[in-house]
C-alpha cells in the first residue's frame, strides 16, 4: 500500500513517514502543497495524509485540485484547527476523515487502516486461486485438489493476504500490521510460527509448494 504524506512541519512529516514505513506501508513525503498535488496526480497512491496549513497551496486547494482532476484517492486531513466548520469544509470538499493535532500515532494508524479497508471494499469475485489452491471468501472455505483444509481465523486471514498479494514478497512487518494489527517486534517469532503452521496445512501433503521463505525479506505465495 502506497501512502503520500503532505506535511510541511519537518518533525511531524519525518515521524509519520518512519512510523508508516515501520508499519509496512510505502510512504512518500511532500513538504508543500504544490509538490503534494503533483505527486498525487502522477502516482497511484492508496491514501493521502494531508495537512491543512501548507506553503504554496493549502490542504483545501490540494484536495480541490485532486477532485477536479477526477482523482478519488481517500484523503485523511491533519490539522491543528479543531473547529467544526473546518471539519465540515474538509468533508464537503471530498475528504474521508479529519484528525486533529496533536494525535496519537496509534489512532492515526487505526484510521489509516480503516480508510484503506473501506477503499478496497469494492465488489469482487468471491474466489482467490493459486495453482490448485482455492479460497472461497464468501463461504470461508479453503481447498486444495478438492480436499478441504481447515484453518483458524488468523490462518485464513494470513492466507487471504498471501493470495491477494501472490508473487509479491511480504515483509514480516506488513504481515504483522495487516493480519495482527500490531507493529512488528523483531524479538517475537509469532509471524514465523503462524506461517509454519499454515504451510503445514497448505503445502506439506502436496509436491508443489506454494508458500516460500525469502531469506532476510519475508514470505511469498506463488506457484513455481
Amino acid at each position: 500500500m502506497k501512502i503520500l504524506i503532505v506535511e510541511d512541519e519537518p518533525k511531524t512529516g519525518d515521524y509519520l513517514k518512519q512510523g508508516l514505513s515501520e508499519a509496512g506501508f510505502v510512504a512518500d513525503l511532500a513538504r508543500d502543497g504544490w509538490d503534494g498535488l503533483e505527486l498525487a496526480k502522477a502516482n497511484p497512491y492508496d491514501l493521502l495524509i494531508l495537512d491543512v496549513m501548507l506553503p504554496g497551496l493549502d490542504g483545501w486547494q490540494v484536495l480541490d485540485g485532486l477532485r477536479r482532476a477526477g482523482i478519488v484517492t481517500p484523503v485523511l486531513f491533519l490539522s491543528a484547527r479543531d473547529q467544526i466548520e473546518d471539519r465540515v469544509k474538509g468533508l464537503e470538499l471530498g475528504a474521508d476523515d479529519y484528525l486533529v493535532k496533536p494525535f496519537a500515532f496509534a489512532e492515526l494508524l487505526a484510521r489509516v487502516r480503516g480508510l484503506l479497508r473501506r477503499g478496497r471494499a469494492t465488489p469482487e469475485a468471491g474466489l482467490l486461486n493459486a495453482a490448485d489452491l482455492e479460497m472461497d471468501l464468501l463461504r470461508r472455505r479453503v481447498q486444495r485438489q478438492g480436499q478441504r483444509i481447515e484453518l483458524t481465523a488468523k490462518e485464513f486471514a494470513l492466507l487471504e493476504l498471501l493470495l491477494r498479494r501472490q508473487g509479491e514478497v511480504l515483509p514480516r512487518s506488513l504481515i504483522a500490521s495487516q493480519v495482527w494489527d500490531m507493529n512488528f517486534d523483531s524479538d517475537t517469532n509469532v509471524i514465523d510460527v503462524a506461517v509454519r503452521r499454515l504451510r503445514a496445512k497448505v503445502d506439506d501433503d502436496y509436491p508443489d509448494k506454494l508458500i516460500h521463505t525469502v531469506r532476510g525479506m519475508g514470505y511469498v505465495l506463488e506457484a513455481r
Side-chain angles (χ1 to χ4, degrees):
M1 290 288 172
K2 290 188 67 177
I3 298 176
L4 174 61
I5 304 158
V6 189
E7 170 62 68
D8 65 312
E9 187 179 317
K11 287 185 178 180
T12 302
D14 293 341
Y15 170 71
L16 288 174
K17 182 174 182 179
Q18 180 179 346
L20 290 169
S21 298
E22 290 176 354
F25 299 101
V26 176
D28 293 337
L29 175 61
R31 302 287 188 181
D32 63 60
W34 286 113
D35 286 346
L37 181 59
E38 292 305 312
L39 278 171
K41 285 183 174 180
N43 298 278
Y45 290 102
D46 297 289
L47 176 70
L48 269 63
I49 297 177
L50 185 59
D51 190 18
V52 172
M53 304 304 293
L54 292 167
L57 298 176
D58 64 28
W60 313 126
Q61 293 170 310
V62 172
L63 178 57
D64 186 53
L66 291 174
R67 297 302 186 243
R68 288 179 183 275
I71 297 172
V72 295
T73 305
V75 170
L76 168 61
F77 262 132
L78 300 179
S79 177
R81 300 165 57 171
D82 62 352
Q83 289 88 349
I84 292 296
E85 53 267 29
D86 287 329
R87 301 189 192 198
V88 170
K89 180 177 180 179
L91 296 173
E92 286 181 342
L93 282 172
D96 298 88
D97 203 350
Y98 194 106
L99 187 59
V100 177
K101 298 178 180 178
F103 52 83
F105 183 76
E107 181 182 2
L108 178 130
L109 193 57
R111 295 200 186 199
V112 164
R113 288 174 177 153
L115 288 171
L116 290 172
R117 282 194 295 268
R118 196 187 311 165
R120 294 197 301 270
T122 54
E124 56 188 359
L127 297 177
L128 296 174
N129 298 277
D132 53 3
L133 176 69
E134 181 179 283
M135 171 178 278
D136 187 328
L137 297 171
L138 300 179
R139 299 167 70 189
R140 306 290 291 178
R141 290 184 178 179
V142 175
Q143 62 180 20
R144 187 164 184 187
Q145 294 183 5
Q147 298 298 311
R148 181 86 173 266
I149 299 173
E150 298 292 344
L151 301 178
T152 67
K154 285 298 183 188
E155 288 167 348
F156 191 94
L158 175 57
L159 182 59
E160 181 182 351
L161 175 64
L162 289 165
L163 279 167
R164 288 186 184 278
R165 309 280 287 269
Q166 61 182 286
E168 181 180 344
V169 178
L170 303 182
R172 290 171 177 81
S173 57
L174 185 144
I175 294 172
S177 67
Q178 296 292 311
V179 178
W180 277 268
D181 252 13
M182 69 178 190
N183 291 324
F184 178 66
D185 181 351
S186 59
D187 293 331
T188 182
N189 65 344
V190 63
I191 308 302
D192 302 301
V193 170
V195 172
R196 195 178 310 130
R197 288 176 177 168
L198 179 63
R199 186 181 274 150
K201 295 181 178 183
V202 170
D203 277 343
D204 280 6
D205 294 335
Y206 302 91
D208 297 323
K209 310 306 180 187
L210 296 176
I211 302 174
H212 308 278
T213 303
V214 181
R215 194 173 301 278
M217 297 179 66
Y219 295 97
V220 60
L221 186 149
E222 62 182 357
R224 295 180 176 176

